[in-house]
Amino acid sequence: MFGIIRPCRHRLSERLQASWMAHLCGLCLALRDDHGQLARTATNYDGLIISVLVEAQSAKDDASWRRTAGPCPLRGMRTASVAKGEGARLAAAVSLALASVKIRDHVEDRDGVFARRPVAAGARAVTRRWDRKSAGGASAVGFDTAVLLDAASRQGALERALPPGGSVLLVTEPTESATSAAFAHTAVLAGRPGNAEPLAEAGRLFGRLAHLLDAAEDQAEDAASGAWNPLTATGTDRAEAERLCRDAVHGIRLALREVELTDRSLVHTLLAHETERAVERVFGPAAHTATCRTRTAPADGAAAHGSAGNGGAGHGSDPYGSDPYRSAPRQDPGQAPPAGPGAPIPPWVPQGPGFTPPGGRPPHRRNLLAGCAVWALMACTCQLMCCSHDDPFSRERKEGWCARQDVDCGDCGDCCSNCGDCCNCCGDGGCCDGCGCDGCDCGCDC
């Protein structure tokens, strides 16, 4: 999986997470249906933005953009609602063409295993087949992948002809042209011709951003291996590359304001917020971000510690107040224990790992033979890896292995994570530069 748009599940609401996965699975299945099983390896995060854009410009309640997919091991053998239609097919064709370009680039640079002649020969055969398949799939939805392949061919020529000290934007131009054409065609598929121009601009800047971030990420590795890198070849320092990336993010946000969408929540999240996250992953957070994320701290000490007149009772949900040396309240001998599954648990009832919830009984453990049989079944269906499940031996509810890993997603909270004060940090150079966080319904889906 490649791409600069990698939203952390902790930053997406339940609705947006479901929509994101619907487009991701829809892209994978469209690649399989139109181009064969091997083509599913071309599934990427950035390609599904094409599918997202087409659906976001269509009628909001149109169910024709979704279908129920069968069980998949990567979903723990569960069915799911996935994206379908022209948006998913265009995303598949574009993703396949870009994957073909990427493989061809690896072959030409003799990267890793592609330096071996048998592997390189097999990779060239795959790229030729994918070029034909992507052209056929794109023509079915009225898009010509020649613009993508032409951009790839011009890329090599530009790199060879680039004079010393030339502008790095000369190198990113082919990528900008390719993504601009793909973004603009989503307006044609959705029947929104007025959106073509601003989407073309957003696509152009997205292509520039993706190219620059890829170059910045690979610069040290390219220097060690002697590979060509646009930043090194043009003498562009990291400060200038960061400035160009942040300008591109700002330009994408400005272009999105001109796009007429029926549901802009996911589009705004991916193209206005996750692009900035991508820049932060490579260059670190901008100076305003630290300030932005500290604005939610209580400005008045009385709000956090309560008033003196009520003896510190104004602590919100903290039953002990802010004094770390206060003891927990003792159990009232005359008070009955909590009853029912929804009853509140008093602070004197032991809680946490190892304690059974009040009124509940520990699940009956399976014996060794039965547990091993269930473990094998769950492992073969990827339930242990990919989704929450009951432990095959203890029957306790657990998260999948993927969810338990310490994934570095940075500070998952952003300026839109405090829904009572949603996006107050936007503007004045803030996270959205005054865009008002379009799509923020304080659900909080922005």
Side-chain angles (χ1 to χ4, degrees):
M1 294 289 287
F2 59 92
I4 65 172
I5 303 298
R6 310 168 195 168
C8 171
R9 64 188 178 90
H10 302 102
R11 289 196 300 268
L12 295 179
S13 69
E14 184 177 352
R15 180 175 72 88
L16 292 190
Q17 171 73 8
S19 181
W20 162 261
M21 289 303 301
H23 287 285
L24 186 62
C25 293
L27 170 58
C28 180
L29 294 176
L31 283 165
R32 181 202 66 184
D33 295 341
D34 292 348
H35 312 295
Q37 287 286 354
L38 182 61
R40 300 176 82 173
T41 58
T43 303
N44 68 95
Y45 296 125
D46 293 348
L48 68 85
I49 292 177
I50 301 297
S51 177
V52 172
L53 283 171
V54 173
E55 186 176 279
Q57 296 174 81
S58 65
K60 191 170 184 178
D61 297 327
D62 189 355
S64 65
W65 296 101
R66 287 285 191 273
R67 70 180 178 91
T68 300
C72 174
L74 296 181
R75 292 192 298 267
M77 300 307 292
R78 297 173 179 172
T79 61
S81 175
V82 303
K84 71 166 187 174
E86 293 182 330
R89 297 187 68 185
L90 176 61
V94 170
S95 295
L96 197 66
L98 295 180
S100 172
V101 171
K102 194 175 184 71
I103 292 176
R104 189 178 292 110
D105 186 55
H106 284 311
V107 171
E108 292 176 356
D109 294 341
R110 299 176 63 85
D111 294 335
V113 296
F114 293 99
R116 301 178 180 178
R117 289 185 179 179
V119 175
R124 290 191 186 95
V126 170
T127 58
R128 289 193 294 269
R129 182 173 184 271
W130 282 4
D131 287 345
R132 295 192 302 270
K133 288 281 191 178
S134 62
S139 64
V141 292
F143 183 69
D144 187 2
T145 57
V147 65
L148 307 181
L149 302 179
D150 176 66
S153 63
R154 286 191 294 114
Q155 186 73 53
L158 279 173
E159 292 176 359
R160 290 188 293 270
L162 184 70
S167 172
V168 71
L169 297 185
L170 293 175
V171 183
T172 63
E173 185 277 328
T175 307
E176 294 177 20
S177 299
T179 53
S180 175
F183 273 46
H185 195 69
T186 65
V188 176
L189 293 182
R192 303 261 189 167
N195 286 343
E197 185 176 348
L199 282 175
E201 177 66 8
R204 183 180 68 82
L205 293 172
F206 183 83
R208 175 185 299 180
L209 177 65
H211 199 132
L212 290 174
L213 289 180
D214 182 66
E217 277 190 309
D218 296 343
Q219 190 172 23
E221 183 180 344
D222 289 343
S225 63
W228 192 90
N229 185 282
L231 299 182
T232 304
T234 59
T236 306
D237 59 25
R238 290 185 71 83
E240 175 64 10
E242 180 180 0
R243 184 189 69 80
L244 291 172
C245 287
R246 295 196 184 278
D247 285 350
V249 172
H250 180 61
I252 291 172
R253 290 169 176 164
L254 293 178
L256 287 180
R257 296 183 193 178
E258 308 300 323
V259 180
E260 185 180 352
L261 301 172
T262 54
D263 183 0
R264 65 176 57 243
S265 297
L266 186 57
V267 172
H268 181 80
T269 298
L270 299 181
L271 292 179
H273 288 281
E274 291 302 328
T275 49
E276 184 175 24
R277 294 283 180 178
V279 176
E280 290 179 359
R281 277 197 303 269
V282 177
F283 297 105
H288 83 271
T289 307
T291 304
C292 179
R293 290 172 181 167
T294 56
R295 291 187 188 181
T296 56
D300 187 356
H305 301 293
S307 61
N310 61 7
H315 297 289
S317 61
D318 184 1
Y320 312 126
S322 58
D323 185 355
Y325 302 103
R326 280 183 68 183
S327 301
R330 296 183 178 274
Q331 180 177 5
D332 183 356
Q335 183 172 347
I345 303 176
W348 56 78
V349 176
Q351 302 177 54
F355 292 100
T356 302
R361 296 192 178 197
H364 178 67
R365 289 182 60 89
R366 291 188 178 94
N367 59 40
L368 179 62
L369 183 61
C372 288
V374 174
W375 184 92
L377 175 64
M378 297 175 73
C380 291
T381 56
C382 292
Q383 294 183 57
L384 296 178
M385 293 286 291
C386 305
C387 62
S388 58
H389 58 274
D390 293 337
D391 185 269
F393 295 95
S394 67
R395 301 178 190 248
E396 294 176 348
R397 197 67 178 167
K398 291 186 176 181
E399 290 291 332
W401 181 86
C402 298
R404 296 198 304 270
Q405 301 313 298
D406 293 326
V407 179
D408 181 14
C409 59
D411 181 6
C412 284
D414 61 10
C415 61
C416 297
S417 62
N418 298 280
C419 298
D421 203 20
C422 192
C423 292
N424 274 356
C425 68
C426 295
D428 298 326
C431 71
C432 294
D433 296 317
C435 74
C437 277
D438 293 335
C440 180
D441 56 11
C442 282
C444 179
D445 286 334
C446 74

